[in-house]
Amino acid sequence: MKYFAKVNDHDHEVEVIERLGELLITVDGKPIDLKYHAVDEDGQIALQVGQFSYGASIDGGAHECALTIAGSRYRVEIEDERERAAAAAARAKGGGGDLKSVMPGVVVQIFVKPGDEVQEGQSLLILEAMKMQNEIDAPVTGTVDTIYVTEGQAVAGAEKLLKITAAPE
Amino acid sequence: MKYFAKVNDHDHEVEVIERLGELLITVDGKPIDLKYHAVDEDGQIALQVGQFSYGASIDGGAHECALTIAGSRYRVEIEDERERAAAAAARAKGGGGDLKSVMPGVVVQIFVKPGDEVQEGQSLLILEAMKMQNEIDAPVTGTVDTIYVTEGQAVAGAEKLLKITAAPE
Amino acid sequence: MFKRILIANRGEIALRVIRTAREMDVECVAIYSEPDASSLHTRFAELAYPLGGKTPAESYLDVEKVLRAAKETGAEAIHPGYGFLSENADFARRVEAAGLVWIGPPADAIVAMGDKIGSRQLMGKAGVPIVPGLSEPVADVAESIAAANEIGYPIALKASAGGGGKGIRIVREESEMEAAFRNASAEALTSFGDGRMYPERYLEKPRHIEIQVMFDRHGNGVHLGERECSIQRRHQKLVEECPSPIVTPEMRAAMGKAAIDAAQAVGYRGAGTVEFLVSKGEFFFLEMNTRLQVEHPITEMVTGRDLVRDQLRVAYGEKLGYTQDDVKMTGWSIEVRINAEDPTNNFLPSTGTIGNLRFPGGPWVRLDSALYPGLEVGLNYDPMLAKLIVWGPDRDTAIRRMRRALEELNVGGISTGAPAALRVLNEKPFIDGDYDTHFLESLDLKQDSRNLGAVAAAAACVHRWHLARRRALQPDAGSRAGWIDRARRITSDF
Amino acid sequence: MFKRILIANRGEIALRVIRTAREMDVECVAIYSEPDASSLHTRFAELAYPLGGKTPAESYLDVEKVLRAAKETGAEAIHPGYGFLSENADFARRVEAAGLVWIGPPADAIVAMGDKIGSRQLMGKAGVPIVPGLSEPVADVAESIAAANEIGYPIALKASAGGGGKGIRIVREESEMEAAFRNASAEALTSFGDGRMYPERYLEKPRHIEIQVMFDRHGNGVHLGERECSIQRRHQKLVEECPSPIVTPEMRAAMGKAAIDAAQAVGYRGAGTVEFLVSKGEFFFLEMNTRLQVEHPITEMVTGRDLVRDQLRVAYGEKLGYTQDDVKMTGWSIEVRINAEDPTNNFLPSTGTIGNLRFPGGPWVRLDSALYPGLEVGLNYDPMLAKLIVWGPDRDTAIRRMRRALEELNVGGISTGAPAALRVLNEKPFIDGDYDTHFLESLDLKQDSRNLGAVAAAAACVHRWHLARRRALQPDAGSRAGWIDRARRITSDF
């Protein structure tokens, strides 16, 4: 199985093949002698790379997870080939989609309205969480389709904020 | 629901009744203002008796469990009325049954053979675990029915050692 | 000693107080909001009193509810912890009016130190060093030069009407003053319609260093040395150490005396912390925190004194029982705050359900933690969930021990600032002790300093592979009946 | 310093060594048996080497495998921990013959101290006090009286051919000797066919007190004070404290000197423990443990010295670097061993799968633990799973802190000895420091000293009630299809 893993914004290609009960793993074309042993159902892992050992922890599921290895945290997004192709196709015919809050908070100000054309990186709204104001930027260039929230509204984590239709590439 | 709870060899009668969504509990006929709140699925409990609070832990299931309250451990065996009646009936018609090892170990010596009549408390065999030899005594007066193990055999915890048919009461 | 006290707080600080109180045979009353019914402080206190309510305002900040809880449980005193009502002078007065002991300083001391500007003027009068500057703005270059000569260079020229750093100019010598004043004043006039400027000493490479003090009701007081708290972002501390790598015994004595003077100037009692800004060997009063500080454990590790115990003792009226000469600092201690936040995303708060906990241990590792599996971390409460503290005979050992402990720690379900702290502990300026309050914000925390990104990618993909394999092995429609039968058997034990 | 060492052990002691080594930038190689693939020591070491095998004999005790692991991983030295091969002189020799450094004493010292009888005679010659008695048996009353006058009363008359306490008589003065000898000798003759007797000083209220020593390769050595280990059953220690409540500074100096003499008599190097029996202010050599002791942490807490660090340093050839005068004992430390055993059932071993862990924390609490959720506790390995250690400025505080920590601890899935330790810490003789090696066995550990049996009964029944309720609410046949659909949805994320 071939996977595309994005780790803290760096891309890696990982291939996992089972042969005679063993997993053969390559990262970016190079074989890696990695032993993965789940200690419990909670996410503790005994990880060995060659002779080296790592008491690692994993949080999350098949598409997004976070690995903590020796105190450092790696956020990993994974796509397989089918998913990658589907995502590319969606982008090609104008993807975009729902933009969700990354944390719970209160919508302080909204800078755009439905129909606005926005550039990737452009500020869309301000979300206040704890005592900090955070600008939420457009992830893609496109058109604002729908705005789900209003100023002053409290939102949960991963709640839909607005929808953008991406401009075709 | 009425329960018979044996706690470290002391007997208690506990009644649990649900009324308007609240549990009314009596122990040995006296009401107890007990709030039981399961913290997780592992057995952590927030326990309150009146204003007093206990960070308790529970291990085990419906019939046998161990409560640890403020560092003290209480082993509890529970029967409801039906189970108690069934057990009494079994005893009346000559109960007994399988005697199981309380811990893993090695059978060092067996003092009885099938057909032997034994008195409650009589030594049946010696089980060695860690570096200690432990005499296993007859829990009831009766007749040795079957012996499942041989001298020198390693046994797991809760493995059947022998079967006794209890003498009618 | 008190028989029973109420802790008007939650989380790790409530637990901290419960632990010492239990060791003193003082019963604790925990109060708890609805979301905190399972909290460790609720479970570990001898008594627990439900306040009801979901938000802080409906529970821990509701003075009437807290006082009622104390009355109904027969508590003799109230420990406020930090945050919530701890620096609320009105609450302190209400507590005493209700006939209870307030485990904290006199209300008047809270008031006096609660006003940032007023407290600095008060401290200036008491002879405590404050940042040199004028209390009135200057209107032209000549006045500015005269003031600067009095204050001493380098000077920060700040716009009288300004804020947010706009219009600030750093002037290092007199020859630069004229041009700097004209530019800054013009900029300020344009921006705010007011060209007047405040000259103040500019503090280069400022460090945040604070002194712990403890006073009884009988006029006895000591300082317990300093804590270095310069590893911070937006004034939120992340890593603290005790002692400070730059404080000499002479400087400690001078800062200690200033802290005692500051406390005595407001008639202080109990535990308090006097915060200073330190630059080029000079120190200046910043503010006083009239309560127990989050980072108090590092002082405990180095002095061997239980500060909560001393708080309870002096609140009860006991004499301090030791003098300045009895306070010895041995070895080095470091604390890392475990906050629910994402250091790779500008320390935004992180929320989730705690799980997959792995706690560090072994020699000289202390964990003050409110974490438990199932804890819901939301936005209603302080994101500080735990504090990891180590001690070592010297700074080098303490740093290495903290790295080791951070590598052992795992907190699942949320993101924490721990990786950022680990990064700090591996940076040369920190190891050299040569850092200031800007250091943490200068780091690129997205960098993969351990270079394990490829390993993480491989492990995550193997994890996914196993998840998919497990799904593939799950019972299909045909075998499902048997599976359910088995489930029924398992649950038929009741 | 070493770049890489191998730890020929498992469990908490392997972890203990890993922790200090990591702080010293020394890489550790963990070796592991099949059941230990998930163990913390396997996960926390920098390198992990699978030995294969399920039993100790197939893994940790297999000298060839261990040496091969060291060779294949490039380890420069081997730390044996305690137990397993740690006191195996042949192994020590094999390690050195393989060109590796043995982190332990010279093989000859292990041999000399390994023989119980021989070591006592050797120590007697070296001037270390041993229990007064004869090396040859006496055959009649007259000889017995003569010997007793030399040894000093009270006397224990032991059957020459005996064992298991049979035929022992305590004789407190000469007038009792004749009757005692005749009875005991007759009993021995009947039982063993041999009436000869060994007279030996009878030690009343014996206490087990041991001295920690540390020697380098350059002739420097110190003692690090004593540990009191009298809370034991069948010679298995449960609670240890440092210092001992009965050891005065003078006695400490005398015992320390004796321990150093003992070590020097066998050319000792590294960490070692000289065990003494103490009775009525006199102390007598019992044996020397030529390795790190389980209870070493309490010495670390009180002296501030990391003993594993010193072990690595002196094994590498460094000078000790401190003298006897530099060893200061500050405060009090107590350790409780967390063993898989059932104190209410004669401390029989307990087996199971670890879960429902709740670890204590807060000020001056240290946990050296190999526990993790999912750990299978069987009979193949030492039942000692963790050690809970506290420090306090005085004994009273340390006792109260340990009680508090034990109340916070939970280890699910097995039974542990912790409740027995808690019981000990609440007993007046322990609090008074007035206990001996018989104390623990004198307690009725089935007693409900907290008197919470009724609460436990109620809680257990409510638990059962909830289990039954949950079962009743489970989907019946009609709704099961929907339930399965939901399960399918949840797992379709892949």
Side-chain angles (χ1 to χ4, degrees), chain A residues 18 44 55 57 59 62 70 74-75 83 104 132 134, chain C residues 234 342 348 356 358 379 407 410 413 448 463-464 469:
Chain A
E18 189 177 14
Q44 286 296 304
S57 306
D59 254 5
Y74 296 89
R75 200 161 307 175
E83 290 159 357
M132 287 174 284
N134 311 285
Chain C
R234 299 188 198 177
D342 184 353
L348 285 183
N356 198 9
R358 197 180 68 197
L379 291 175
E407 289 173 357
N410 192 66
D448 175 10
H463 176 238
R464 175 168 169 159
R469 161 60 54 99

PDB file of all heavy atoms in Angstrom, chain A residues 18 44 55 57 59 62 70 74-75 83 104 132 134, chain C residues 234 342 348 356 358 379 407 410 413 448 463-464 469:
ATOM      1  N   GLU A  18       3.169  -6.214   2.868  1.00  0.00           N
ATOM      2  CA  GLU A  18       3.309  -7.383   3.728  1.00  0.00           C
ATOM      3  C   GLU A  18       3.890  -8.522   2.905  1.00  0.00           C
ATOM      4  O   GLU A  18       3.399  -8.836   1.808  1.00  0.00           O
ATOM      5  CB  GLU A  18       1.943  -7.791   4.286  1.00  0.00           C
ATOM      6  CG  GLU A  18       2.076  -8.861   5.350  1.00  0.00           C
ATOM      7  CD  GLU A  18       0.732  -9.222   5.950  1.00  0.00           C
ATOM      8  OE1 GLU A  18      -0.295  -8.859   5.375  1.00  0.00           O
ATOM      9  OE2 GLU A  18       0.732  -9.886   7.009  1.00  0.00           O
ATOM     10  N   GLN A  44      -0.093   3.729  22.956  1.00  0.00           N
ATOM     11  CA  GLN A  44       1.323   3.549  23.281  1.00  0.00           C
ATOM     12  C   GLN A  44       1.921   2.552  22.280  1.00  0.00           C
ATOM     13  O   GLN A  44       1.331   1.520  21.996  1.00  0.00           O
ATOM     14  CB  GLN A  44       1.499   3.023  24.706  1.00  0.00           C
ATOM     15  CG  GLN A  44       1.238   4.079  25.768  1.00  0.00           C
ATOM     16  CD  GLN A  44       2.236   5.208  25.685  1.00  0.00           C
ATOM     17  OE1 GLN A  44       3.437   5.018  25.748  1.00  0.00           O
ATOM     18  NE2 GLN A  44       1.718   6.420  25.494  1.00  0.00           N
ATOM     19  N   GLY A  55      10.010   5.015  22.590  1.00  0.00           N
ATOM     20  CA  GLY A  55       8.734   4.858  23.270  1.00  0.00           C
ATOM     21  C   GLY A  55       7.793   5.906  22.712  1.00  0.00           C
ATOM     22  O   GLY A  55       7.765   7.031  23.177  1.00  0.00           O
ATOM     23  N   SER A  57       4.065   7.518  21.147  1.00  0.00           N
ATOM     24  CA  SER A  57       2.634   7.581  21.432  1.00  0.00           C
ATOM     25  C   SER A  57       1.934   8.060  20.179  1.00  0.00           C
ATOM     26  O   SER A  57       2.461   8.924  19.476  1.00  0.00           O
ATOM     27  CB  SER A  57       2.363   8.571  22.566  1.00  0.00           C
ATOM     28  OG  SER A  57       3.131   8.274  23.702  1.00  0.00           O
ATOM     29  N   ASP A  59      -1.855   9.401  18.571  1.00  0.00           N
ATOM     30  CA  ASP A  59      -3.206   9.912  18.793  1.00  0.00           C
ATOM     31  C   ASP A  59      -3.853  10.073  17.434  1.00  0.00           C
ATOM     32  O   ASP A  59      -3.220  10.639  16.541  1.00  0.00           O
ATOM     33  CB  ASP A  59      -3.103  11.328  19.385  1.00  0.00           C
ATOM     34  CG  ASP A  59      -3.447  11.366  20.845  1.00  0.00           C
ATOM     35  OD1 ASP A  59      -3.681  10.302  21.437  1.00  0.00           O
ATOM     36  OD2 ASP A  59      -3.454  12.463  21.406  1.00  0.00           O
ATOM     37  N   ALA A  62      -6.926   7.159  10.888  1.00  0.00           N
ATOM     38  CA  ALA A  62      -6.289   6.742   9.654  1.00  0.00           C
ATOM     39  C   ALA A  62      -5.839   7.927   8.810  1.00  0.00           C
ATOM     40  O   ALA A  62      -4.856   7.837   8.088  1.00  0.00           O
ATOM     41  CB  ALA A  62      -7.259   5.866   8.854  1.00  0.00           C
ATOM     42  N   ALA A  70       9.877  10.631  21.752  1.00  0.00           N
ATOM     43  CA  ALA A  70      10.887  11.238  22.628  1.00  0.00           C
ATOM     44  C   ALA A  70      10.592  12.712  22.882  1.00  0.00           C
ATOM     45  O   ALA A  70      11.481  13.547  22.843  1.00  0.00           O
ATOM     46  CB  ALA A  70      12.287  11.051  22.051  1.00  0.00           C
ATOM     47  N   TYR A  74       4.809  15.106  16.171  1.00  0.00           N
ATOM     48  CA  TYR A  74       4.715  15.177  14.719  1.00  0.00           C
ATOM     49  C   TYR A  74       3.260  15.001  14.323  1.00  0.00           C
ATOM     50  O   TYR A  74       2.653  13.977  14.643  1.00  0.00           O
ATOM     51  CB  TYR A  74       5.568  14.080  14.080  1.00  0.00           C
ATOM     52  CG  TYR A  74       7.042  14.264  14.369  1.00  0.00           C
ATOM     53  CD1 TYR A  74       7.624  13.702  15.496  1.00  0.00           C
ATOM     54  CD2 TYR A  74       7.818  15.052  13.530  1.00  0.00           C
ATOM     55  CE1 TYR A  74       8.967  13.901  15.782  1.00  0.00           C
ATOM     56  CE2 TYR A  74       9.158  15.252  13.810  1.00  0.00           C
ATOM     57  CZ  TYR A  74       9.730  14.684  14.933  1.00  0.00           C
ATOM     58  OH  TYR A  74      11.050  14.895  15.207  1.00  0.00           O
ATOM     59  N   ARG A  75       2.732  15.986  13.622  1.00  0.00           N
ATOM     60  CA  ARG A  75       1.371  15.883  13.152  1.00  0.00           C
ATOM     61  C   ARG A  75       1.427  15.306  11.735  1.00  0.00           C
ATOM     62  O   ARG A  75       2.176  15.803  10.898  1.00  0.00           O
ATOM     63  CB  ARG A  75       0.736  17.258  13.133  1.00  0.00           C
ATOM     64  CG  ARG A  75      -0.766  17.212  13.135  1.00  0.00           C
ATOM     65  CD  ARG A  75      -1.316  18.540  13.577  1.00  0.00           C
ATOM     66  NE  ARG A  75      -0.722  18.960  14.854  1.00  0.00           N
ATOM     67  CZ  ARG A  75      -0.952  20.131  15.420  1.00  0.00           C
ATOM     68  NH1 ARG A  75      -1.725  21.000  14.844  1.00  0.00           N
ATOM     69  NH2 ARG A  75      -0.389  20.431  16.575  1.00  0.00           N
ATOM     70  N   GLU A  83      -7.296   8.349  -2.461  1.00  0.00           N
ATOM     71  CA  GLU A  83      -7.705   9.607  -1.831  1.00  0.00           C
ATOM     72  C   GLU A  83      -6.994  10.805  -2.459  1.00  0.00           C
ATOM     73  O   GLU A  83      -7.577  11.866  -2.653  1.00  0.00           O
ATOM     74  CB  GLU A  83      -7.404   9.563  -0.326  1.00  0.00           C
ATOM     75  CG  GLU A  83      -8.305   8.599   0.437  1.00  0.00           C
ATOM     76  CD  GLU A  83      -7.736   8.164   1.777  1.00  0.00           C
ATOM     77  OE1 GLU A  83      -6.597   8.573   2.104  1.00  0.00           O
ATOM     78  OE2 GLU A  83      -8.422   7.421   2.484  1.00  0.00           O
ATOM     79  N   PRO A 104     -12.239  25.839  19.683  1.00  0.00           N
ATOM     80  CA  PRO A 104     -13.455  26.522  20.109  1.00  0.00           C
ATOM     81  C   PRO A 104     -13.142  27.995  20.381  1.00  0.00           C
ATOM     82  O   PRO A 104     -12.018  28.338  20.732  1.00  0.00           O
ATOM     83  CB  PRO A 104     -13.824  25.808  21.419  1.00  0.00           C
ATOM     84  CG  PRO A 104     -12.928  24.625  21.514  1.00  0.00           C
ATOM     85  CD  PRO A 104     -11.725  24.918  20.685  1.00  0.00           C
ATOM     86  N   MET A 132      -6.789  35.367  23.216  1.00  0.00           N
ATOM     87  CA  MET A 132      -6.075  35.743  22.004  1.00  0.00           C
ATOM     88  C   MET A 132      -6.996  35.851  20.815  1.00  0.00           C
ATOM     89  O   MET A 132      -7.938  35.086  20.670  1.00  0.00           O
ATOM     90  CB  MET A 132      -4.978  34.714  21.735  1.00  0.00           C
ATOM     91  CG  MET A 132      -3.826  34.878  22.712  1.00  0.00           C
ATOM     92  SD  MET A 132      -2.610  33.584  22.516  1.00  0.00           S
ATOM     93  CE  MET A 132      -3.455  32.243  23.300  1.00  0.00           C
ATOM     94  N   ASN A 134      -7.322  35.475  16.824  1.00  0.00           N
ATOM     95  CA  ASN A 134      -6.615  34.740  15.782  1.00  0.00           C
ATOM     96  C   ASN A 134      -7.265  35.005  14.447  1.00  0.00           C
ATOM     97  O   ASN A 134      -8.476  34.823  14.291  1.00  0.00           O
ATOM     98  CB  ASN A 134      -6.679  33.245  16.079  1.00  0.00           C
ATOM     99  CG  ASN A 134      -6.284  32.984  17.514  1.00  0.00           C
ATOM    100  OD1 ASN A 134      -5.118  33.047  17.857  1.00  0.00           O
ATOM    101  ND2 ASN A 134      -7.286  32.738  18.372  1.00  0.00           N
TER     102      ASN A 134
ATOM    103  N   ARG C 234       3.993  36.242  25.197  1.00  0.00           N
ATOM    104  CA  ARG C 234       2.849  37.072  25.574  1.00  0.00           C
ATOM    105  C   ARG C 234       2.631  37.041  27.082  1.00  0.00           C
ATOM    106  O   ARG C 234       1.521  36.857  27.559  1.00  0.00           O
ATOM    107  CB  ARG C 234       1.578  36.613  24.866  1.00  0.00           C
ATOM    108  CG  ARG C 234       1.670  36.698  23.357  1.00  0.00           C
ATOM    109  CD  ARG C 234       0.306  36.425  22.750  1.00  0.00           C
ATOM    110  NE  ARG C 234       0.397  36.070  21.344  1.00  0.00           N
ATOM    111  CZ  ARG C 234      -0.635  35.730  20.592  1.00  0.00           C
ATOM    112  NH1 ARG C 234      -1.840  35.692  21.108  1.00  0.00           N
ATOM    113  NH2 ARG C 234      -0.477  35.424  19.329  1.00  0.00           N
ATOM    114  N   ASP C 342      -1.035  24.728  21.352  1.00  0.00           N
ATOM    115  CA  ASP C 342      -0.304  24.196  20.213  1.00  0.00           C
ATOM    116  C   ASP C 342       0.880  25.109  19.889  1.00  0.00           C
ATOM    117  O   ASP C 342       0.710  26.139  19.234  1.00  0.00           O
ATOM    118  CB  ASP C 342      -1.235  24.071  19.005  1.00  0.00           C
ATOM    119  CG  ASP C 342      -0.531  23.426  17.832  1.00  0.00           C
ATOM    120  OD1 ASP C 342       0.701  23.212  17.910  1.00  0.00           O
ATOM    121  OD2 ASP C 342      -1.209  23.143  16.836  1.00  0.00           O
ATOM    122  N   LEU C 348      -1.967  28.484  20.153  1.00  0.00           N
ATOM    123  CA  LEU C 348      -3.426  28.515  20.252  1.00  0.00           C
ATOM    124  C   LEU C 348      -3.879  27.433  21.220  1.00  0.00           C
ATOM    125  O   LEU C 348      -3.261  26.381  21.319  1.00  0.00           O
ATOM    126  CB  LEU C 348      -4.048  28.256  18.881  1.00  0.00           C
ATOM    127  CG  LEU C 348      -3.972  29.413  17.896  1.00  0.00           C
ATOM    128  CD1 LEU C 348      -4.685  29.031  16.601  1.00  0.00           C
ATOM    129  CD2 LEU C 348      -4.632  30.656  18.493  1.00  0.00           C
ATOM    130  N   ASN C 356      -4.389   8.287  26.925  1.00  0.00           N
ATOM    131  CA  ASN C 356      -3.038   7.874  26.527  1.00  0.00           C
ATOM    132  C   ASN C 356      -1.959   8.595  27.341  1.00  0.00           C
ATOM    133  O   ASN C 356      -0.972   9.091  26.796  1.00  0.00           O
ATOM    134  CB  ASN C 356      -2.859   8.156  25.022  1.00  0.00           C
ATOM    135  CG  ASN C 356      -1.697   7.396  24.416  1.00  0.00           C
ATOM    136  OD1 ASN C 356      -1.108   6.520  25.058  1.00  0.00           O
ATOM    137  ND2 ASN C 356      -1.339   7.744  23.193  1.00  0.00           N
ATOM    138  N   ARG C 358       1.124   9.042  29.785  1.00  0.00           N
ATOM    139  CA  ARG C 358       2.329   8.357  30.233  1.00  0.00           C
ATOM    140  C   ARG C 358       3.120   9.364  31.042  1.00  0.00           C
ATOM    141  O   ARG C 358       3.575  10.375  30.522  1.00  0.00           O
ATOM    142  CB  ARG C 358       3.133   7.860  29.031  1.00  0.00           C
ATOM    143  CG  ARG C 358       4.167   6.805  29.372  1.00  0.00           C
ATOM    144  CD  ARG C 358       4.927   6.366  28.133  1.00  0.00           C
ATOM    145  NE  ARG C 358       5.761   7.451  27.654  1.00  0.00           N
ATOM    146  CZ  ARG C 358       6.291   7.511  26.428  1.00  0.00           C
ATOM    147  NH1 ARG C 358       6.039   6.562  25.559  1.00  0.00           N
ATOM    148  NH2 ARG C 358       7.033   8.522  26.067  1.00  0.00           N
ATOM    149  N   LEU C 379     -12.569  25.303  27.101  1.00  0.00           N
ATOM    150  CA  LEU C 379     -12.035  26.667  27.158  1.00  0.00           C
ATOM    151  C   LEU C 379     -12.442  27.402  28.420  1.00  0.00           C
ATOM    152  O   LEU C 379     -12.013  28.513  28.666  1.00  0.00           O
ATOM    153  CB  LEU C 379     -12.507  27.455  25.941  1.00  0.00           C
ATOM    154  CG  LEU C 379     -11.906  27.005  24.614  1.00  0.00           C
ATOM    155  CD1 LEU C 379     -12.537  27.760  23.470  1.00  0.00           C
ATOM    156  CD2 LEU C 379     -10.397  27.226  24.621  1.00  0.00           C
ATOM    157  N   GLU C 407      10.853  13.722  27.686  1.00  0.00           N
ATOM    158  CA  GLU C 407      10.832  12.640  26.709  1.00  0.00           C
ATOM    159  C   GLU C 407       9.976  11.467  27.183  1.00  0.00           C
ATOM    160  O   GLU C 407       9.433  10.712  26.377  1.00  0.00           O
ATOM    161  CB  GLU C 407      12.268  12.179  26.397  1.00  0.00           C
ATOM    162  CG  GLU C 407      13.021  13.229  25.580  1.00  0.00           C
ATOM    163  CD  GLU C 407      14.488  12.908  25.378  1.00  0.00           C
ATOM    164  OE1 GLU C 407      14.970  11.890  25.909  1.00  0.00           O
ATOM    165  OE2 GLU C 407      15.154  13.684  24.701  1.00  0.00           O
ATOM    166  N   ASN C 410       3.814  11.637  28.093  1.00  0.00           N
ATOM    167  CA  ASN C 410       2.865  11.789  26.985  1.00  0.00           C
ATOM    168  C   ASN C 410       1.501  12.178  27.524  1.00  0.00           C
ATOM    169  O   ASN C 410       1.031  11.631  28.517  1.00  0.00           O
ATOM    170  CB  ASN C 410       2.724  10.513  26.155  1.00  0.00           C
ATOM    171  CG  ASN C 410       1.962  10.806  24.863  1.00  0.00           C
ATOM    172  OD1 ASN C 410       2.464  11.531  24.012  1.00  0.00           O
ATOM    173  ND2 ASN C 410       0.738  10.302  24.742  1.00  0.00           N
ATOM    174  N   GLY C 413      -4.793  13.200  23.434  1.00  0.00           N
ATOM    175  CA  GLY C 413      -6.110  13.831  23.305  1.00  0.00           C
ATOM    176  C   GLY C 413      -6.055  15.316  23.043  1.00  0.00           C
ATOM    177  O   GLY C 413      -7.033  15.903  22.581  1.00  0.00           O
ATOM    178  N   ASP C 448      11.729  20.737  12.884  1.00  0.00           N
ATOM    179  CA  ASP C 448      11.863  19.366  13.390  1.00  0.00           C
ATOM    180  C   ASP C 448      13.284  19.204  13.920  1.00  0.00           C
ATOM    181  O   ASP C 448      14.164  18.693  13.229  1.00  0.00           O
ATOM    182  CB  ASP C 448      11.577  18.372  12.260  1.00  0.00           C
ATOM    183  CG  ASP C 448      11.823  16.934  12.691  1.00  0.00           C
ATOM    184  OD1 ASP C 448      12.022  16.692  13.901  1.00  0.00           O
ATOM    185  OD2 ASP C 448      11.807  16.058  11.812  1.00  0.00           O
ATOM    186  N   HIS C 463       0.549   2.436  11.313  1.00  0.00           N
ATOM    187  CA  HIS C 463      -0.643   2.507  12.158  1.00  0.00           C
ATOM    188  C   HIS C 463      -1.903   2.417  11.298  1.00  0.00           C
ATOM    189  O   HIS C 463      -2.813   1.637  11.569  1.00  0.00           O
ATOM    190  CB  HIS C 463      -0.611   3.828  12.942  1.00  0.00           C
ATOM    191  CG  HIS C 463      -1.817   4.086  13.779  1.00  0.00           C
ATOM    192  ND1 HIS C 463      -2.602   5.201  13.627  1.00  0.00           N
ATOM    193  CD2 HIS C 463      -2.368   3.379  14.788  1.00  0.00           C
ATOM    194  CE1 HIS C 463      -3.595   5.171  14.500  1.00  0.00           C
ATOM    195  NE2 HIS C 463      -3.478   4.080  15.221  1.00  0.00           N
ATOM    196  N   ARG C 464      -1.924   3.208  10.225  1.00  0.00           N
ATOM    197  CA  ARG C 464      -3.076   3.192   9.331  1.00  0.00           C
ATOM    198  C   ARG C 464      -3.235   1.807   8.690  1.00  0.00           C
ATOM    199  O   ARG C 464      -4.344   1.292   8.563  1.00  0.00           O
ATOM    200  CB  ARG C 464      -2.907   4.257   8.252  1.00  0.00           C
ATOM    201  CG  ARG C 464      -4.025   4.188   7.230  1.00  0.00           C
ATOM    202  CD  ARG C 464      -4.053   5.385   6.326  1.00  0.00           C
ATOM    203  NE  ARG C 464      -4.982   5.120   5.231  1.00  0.00           N
ATOM    204  CZ  ARG C 464      -5.544   6.060   4.491  1.00  0.00           C
ATOM    205  NH1 ARG C 464      -5.267   7.314   4.731  1.00  0.00           N
ATOM    206  NH2 ARG C 464      -6.376   5.747   3.528  1.00  0.00           N
ATOM    207  N   ARG C 469      -6.174  -3.241   8.294  1.00  0.00           N
ATOM    208  CA  ARG C 469      -6.119  -4.689   8.409  1.00  0.00           C
ATOM    209  C   ARG C 469      -7.153  -5.188   9.421  1.00  0.00           C
ATOM    210  O   ARG C 469      -7.875  -6.150   9.185  1.00  0.00           O
ATOM    211  CB  ARG C 469      -4.697  -5.103   8.834  1.00  0.00           C
ATOM    212  CG  ARG C 469      -4.562  -6.496   9.434  1.00  0.00           C
ATOM    213  CD  ARG C 469      -4.997  -7.583   8.479  1.00  0.00           C
ATOM    214  NE  ARG C 469      -4.307  -7.514   7.197  1.00  0.00           N
ATOM    215  CZ  ARG C 469      -3.265  -8.260   6.865  1.00  0.00           C
ATOM    216  NH1 ARG C 469      -2.809  -9.143   7.722  1.00  0.00           N
ATOM    217  NH2 ARG C 469      -2.700  -8.145   5.695  1.00  0.00           N
TER     218      ARG C 469
END
